[in-house]
Amino acid sequence: MEHDDRLARLLKLHQDEPDDVFLNYALAMEHIRMGEFTQALAGLNRVTGLDGSYIPAYYQKGKVYEALGDPEKALQSYRLGRDLAVA
């Protein structure tokens, strides 16, 4: 129930600011906590689309790809994040 409340609050905030990078990231993280990996991946892709330098999103995308059974895409995401971090 706690996750549902948190998700509902985030969705309400997101309606007012759909392009807020942090809100999109927070929504994606909530989907991860709920085991909704497809929705989480869509949210994380939105984050990196809004701000390609948002490094934490690449790590989380890697974890989601792992959960979805796609180690190649996971590694690619980890590498993108690493490259951004050291640039």
Side-chain angles (χ1 to χ4, degrees):
M1 184 58 111
E2 176 183 325
H3 290 296
D4 293 338
D5 292 341
R6 189 168 32 216
L7 181 61
R9 287 192 307 262
L10 287 170
L11 287 169
K12 186 173 178 358
L13 290 169
H14 185 259
Q15 285 178 343
D16 294 332
E17 297 186 55
D19 294 334
D20 184 283
V21 174
F22 182 75
L23 280 175
N24 280 282
Y25 183 76
L27 277 169
M29 294 304 295
E30 195 59 29
H31 285 297
I32 289 171
R33 283 193 251 314
M34 296 172 75
E36 298 171 347
F37 299 115
T38 302
Q39 295 93 324
L41 185 57
L44 292 167
N45 284 332
R46 174 115 171 102
V47 169
T48 56
L50 290 168
D51 182 355
S53 65
Y54 200 79
I55 295 169
Y58 293 97
Y59 173 77
Q60 293 301 330
K61 281 172 73 169
K63 298 298 283 180
V64 169
Y65 279 125
E66 284 185 47
L68 292 172
D70 195 336
E72 289 181 29
K73 285 188 179 177
L75 188 56
Q76 180 183 24
S77 187
Y78 291 137
R79 286 181 176 153
L80 282 169
R82 178 203 61 204
D83 292 348
L84 285 169
V86 297

